[in-house]
Amino acid sequence: MASGFVKLEKLSRVGGAFRFGQWNRRHSKLSYRAATESEKMEEEEVPTSGISRPLSEILKELNKKVPDSLVRTRLEKDGFPIRYIPWHLVNRILNLHAPEWSGEVRNITYSADAKSVSVVYRVTLYGTDAEIFRESTGTASVDDTSYGDPVQKAEAMAFRRACARFGLGLHLYHEDSS
């Protein structure tokens, strides 16, 4: 038999659970058995889900252009078209390429005149070699009733922007400037 192959045996969540499709890294454990030259099997605990990769590989995948079939367009009040990826699709892309990610609302602030709300959102990616986070803001008018409530809109915007700071959908921002 070839040496160095790894056979995955068991994946378990110990004390933790998924939160909005996000893996809670502190509570994940993977048991696996590694075969050696003499076929001696040795069991080890690893603090990752077994799906993770080095951060550089995750970022490389996130920086790829998102297929046009996932991109939506909406018209702003001034008639200017905005291309974007809906937050739920961004979530699914993160789950696919960076299954051990987490996100959290860091702050919600209403403007002094109470006409808008801003949300600060943090996305953290966990690789086998490191973890990094990016934060961004989103702001929505309290008067805008086109869909959802203003806090939801601002959160979705901040989430997408934080993900763009990792490269996910960043090409859409560059298209606007050309």
Side-chain angles (χ1 to χ4, degrees):
M1 287 260 174
S3 65
F5 92 94
V6 175
K7 177 183 173 189
L8 296 180
E9 261 193 3
K10 179 177 105 180
L11 177 64
S12 63
R13 284 176 274 160
V14 180
F18 287 90
R19 203 175 52 223
F20 303 111
Q22 303 152 11
W23 186 260
N24 188 335
R25 183 181 172 85
R26 287 183 295 224
H27 300 294
S28 65
K29 296 267 186 232
L30 170 69
S31 294
Y32 68 90
R33 297 169 64 87
T36 62
E37 286 284 339
S38 64
E39 293 297 311
K40 177 183 166 198
M41 301 300 266
E42 179 180 293
E43 188 162 64
E44 286 185 35
E45 292 278 332
V46 195
T48 67
S49 72
I51 305 169
S52 277
R53 300 171 291 166
L55 210 45
S56 61
E57 289 181 21
I58 294 169
L59 293 173
K60 184 178 178 180
E61 290 296 320
L62 293 179
N63 274 281
K64 291 182 178 178
K65 185 178 178 189
V66 175
D68 287 336
S69 62
L70 300 179
V71 177
R72 306 292 184 262
T73 303
R74 74 168 178 265
L75 290 177
E76 291 294 298
K77 291 180 182 179
D78 61 1
F80 187 75
I82 299 289
R83 290 173 38 94
Y84 69 100
I85 307 165
W87 73 268
H88 60 92
L89 295 177
V90 171
N91 188 316
R92 293 187 104 176
I93 292 168
L94 278 181
N95 288 342
L96 176 66
H97 295 296
E100 292 192 31
W101 70 276
S102 66
E104 64 179 304
V105 172
R106 304 283 291 171
N107 193 15
I108 299 174
T109 307
Y110 285 86
S111 63
D113 62 3
K115 291 187 178 188
S116 66
V117 61
S118 295
V119 172
V120 177
Y121 198 90
R122 174 184 284 184
V123 174
T124 305
L125 300 182
Y126 303 96
T128 55
D129 55 348
E131 63 183 63
I132 58 173
F133 68 87
R134 298 289 184 260
E135 290 184 349
S136 196
T137 61
T139 302
S141 170
V142 173
D143 299 330
D144 184 4
T145 58
S146 59
Y147 67 94
D149 69 64
V151 176
Q152 288 176 328
K153 291 179 206 174
E155 180 182 345
M157 183 185 298
F159 170 63
R160 289 191 307 260
R161 288 178 174 174
C163 291
R165 290 182 174 210
F166 288 119
L168 178 53
L170 190 59
H171 65 283
L172 297 174
Y173 292 87
H174 297 294
E175 288 174 359
D176 292 345
S177 63
S178 55

